[in-house]
Structures are given as C-alpha cells and as structure tokens.
Amino acid sequence: MLDISFIDLFQGIATLAAAEPHIMIGRLFLIGLGLALIWLGQKGVLEALLMIPMGLGMATVNAAVLFFEDGRTGTLFLDPLASGTDAVMTALQIDWLQPVYTLMFSNGLIACLVFIGIGTLLDVGYVMQRPFTSMFLAICGELGTVVALPLAAMWGLPLNEAAAAATIGGADGPMVLFASLILAPEIFVAITVVGYLYLGLTYGAYPHLVKALVPERLRAIQMPVEKLRAISSAEKMMFAVAACVLLSLLFPVAAPLFLSLFIGVVVRESGLNNFREVFSGPVLYGATFFLGLTLGVLCEASTILDPKVLTLLVLGIVALTVSALGGLLGGYALWWFTGGRFNPVIGIAAVSCVPTTAKVAQKIVSQANPNAIVLPHALGVSISGVITSATFAAILISMLRAG
C-alpha cells in the first residue's frame, strides 16, 4: 500500500504552512487580491480585459507553490529569476508559461505587439485637428513622471531605477514594460506589475478625483461647435510616417515602440483591411490576454516581495495622481484661456491609458450634462498622451540607459 503523506498530497497547503510568516501572509494577501481583481473586472469597475486574467494568474500562482527535489519551493508556471543558458533551457522545458515570458515578455516583444494593435485603433485625425490643444494637455499629463523621478531618487533608488519607476506616470503599460526592461532590468518585473496594477485602477479611481476637483457646473460645459476640416487618410499616413521617422531619428533607443505604434496607424489608414483586422483583433487581444496572465503569474509572493516593491507602490500612485492633477490643471488653463468655453474634465485624458481615460472623461461629463460631447477632444488628448509618454520615456532611456 502506498505511503502518501499530507505534504506529498497537498503541497500547496504544505508549502504555505512551511513558509516564513511574511511569505505566508504575502501569498494569502495576493490570493485575495487576485480574486478581488477578477470580481472588480467582472463588475466593470476595472478594465476586465487585463484584470481578469491577471487576477486569476495572481491567485493561482500563489496557491500552486510546491516542493522540488532539492528542498526549495517554486511553481510550474515560470521562473523570472532564471539566469544562464542551462537554467533558462531547463525552465523552458518545465514551466508552461516560460516560453511566453522568455521569448515575448522579457525582451519587450509583447509590448510592441500591443502597441501595433493600439496603433490600428488610433485615429490620429483627432490630434491633427486640434494639435496644439491636444499636445499641450498631453505634456501637462506627464507631470507625474517629472515629479516622481526626483522623488524616487530622494528615496534612495539609483537614478536608472528611479527613471524606470517614474515612467508609470505616463500611464502607458507597454511603454512602462519596455522602459523598465532597458533602464532597470533587475527590477523590471516589479515595476511592470506595479505599473499595470495601477493602470487598471485608474478606471475606477479617476472619476472620484475629477468630481472632487471640478465643480459640476464646469463638468457640464458643452464644447462649442467647431468648423473642422476633414483629415484625409493620406494626410494621416504622412503624419504617422513623419512622426515615426523623426522620433526614431531623435531617440533610436525607443524606435521599436515608435515603429510599432505608427505601423499600426499606417496599416489603419492605408486600406490594408486584412492586416488591420488581424492586428486589432487576434494580435491585440491575444497579446493583452497573455500579458495580463503573465503579469498575474509574476506576482508569486517570493518573487514580488522585494523590499523595493513598497517604494514602487508609493511612487506609482504618486506618479499617476500627479499626472492626473497635471492634466486637470492644463484643462483649467484652457478653460481660463478660452473664457470658460473649454471643459476642464478633458484634461484627465492626458493621462493616456488610451482610450480608457477618454471614455472616463466623456462618462463624467455625460453625468453632469447628457447633451455634452467631449469624446473627440478627449481622444485627441489621449492619443497625444501615448506619443508624449513614449517620448518622455525615450528621453530618460537615452540619458540613463543601464549598462
């Protein structure tokens, strides 16, 4: 008769009992957080597309810790700390998500795939119709990046790690992943997880911030009717090509992001409908799903409980809050400059997170005035925010590139 012990049969429970107190508490907390993300995503409070796979991955990986033959604990999902050819090859043969992490996540490829998909959804005509307003607010929305950088350095982070953490203020997940991978490869997993976790929270938190800072009478402002020239597809293509080449010439280190974003725009405007359907559908949603799932699995307690994570958590919320304040201040500046005709709520869309914050702006305005339409303006600002956040990240990478 087989002699099977409790430890051999229920290893998830056994490893939990055998873990150090802070690891045990961390695992239980992350399981609970993962379940909360699933529930909030299903309810529409958070972005379901990212939060549901991330939450389930987070809960599962912290439940599924087991003992290995050498006495150490781990999972069969992936090992982000594997180094050296032999260790990586062994992990690729055992851990089922390791190929996704090694071949797509840890080299930034998945971020570029998401950017291509996003590019096919962007109508740069909104930016071209209101270039100065859109870019002014987008620059205001980078205030969190500017503030978080010296703050992180004051808290003891090396300058390259401080810059990587500060990019969370740009509210652009693929860009945070790409920038942190180059600037701070040792902690890029923690920065990316924190960044994406907070980006999901913006959908639920920003409406309360806007309502606290913008009176209802200003939230209800109806934008005046404008006589705008229609922007042709050829003009949009020329804009995308010129922006891609110019930004790549200035900041070659971030050229993969620029190319990924603007090739999506070019595909959209060039009539390549088959490519557009592939990139805006299977590529974007597939990459986003595995990005969320991989991020969740990376939240295994023994990996994520780095002493720097608490600092990153505080920096992330500071960066995104200050960026939102910067965007709203820009909105108030345009409200004053136009004699009260500009709706300051549009400024929240400067925290790009495209198109989430643009939809947030329209939703808040509609609650105050069902007849007010600000979505076109907000989309122009949000799309500009993608460009400015990538540009700010490129500047930081060019100045402080690790190694």
Side-chain angles (χ1 to χ4, degrees), residues 366-379:
S366 295
Q367 290 172 349
N369 179 1
N371 298 317
I373 304 297
V374 299
L375 189 59
H377 299 78
L379 283 172

Side-chain angles (χ1 to χ4, degrees), residues 294-360:
T294 306
L295 284 167
V297 169
L298 286 169
C299 290
E300 200 269 314
S302 62
T303 300
I304 204 67
L305 290 180
D306 185 298
K308 290 183 179 178
V309 170
L310 179 59
T311 300
L312 296 175
L313 286 168
V314 176
L315 282 172
I317 201 68
V318 168
L320 286 172
T321 301
V322 174
S323 287
L325 294 176
L328 290 175
L329 285 173
Y332 269 115
L334 290 176
W335 169 78
W336 177 82
F337 183 77
T338 59
R341 295 192 301 274
F342 190 88
N343 193 318
V345 174
I346 296 170
I348 198 64
V351 190
S352 61
C353 204
V354 64
T356 299
T357 48
K359 293 189 294 184
V360 166

Side-chain angles (χ1 to χ4, degrees), residues 35 89 106 146 210 264:
L35 297 177
M89 288 304 298
S106 65
V146 175
V210 173

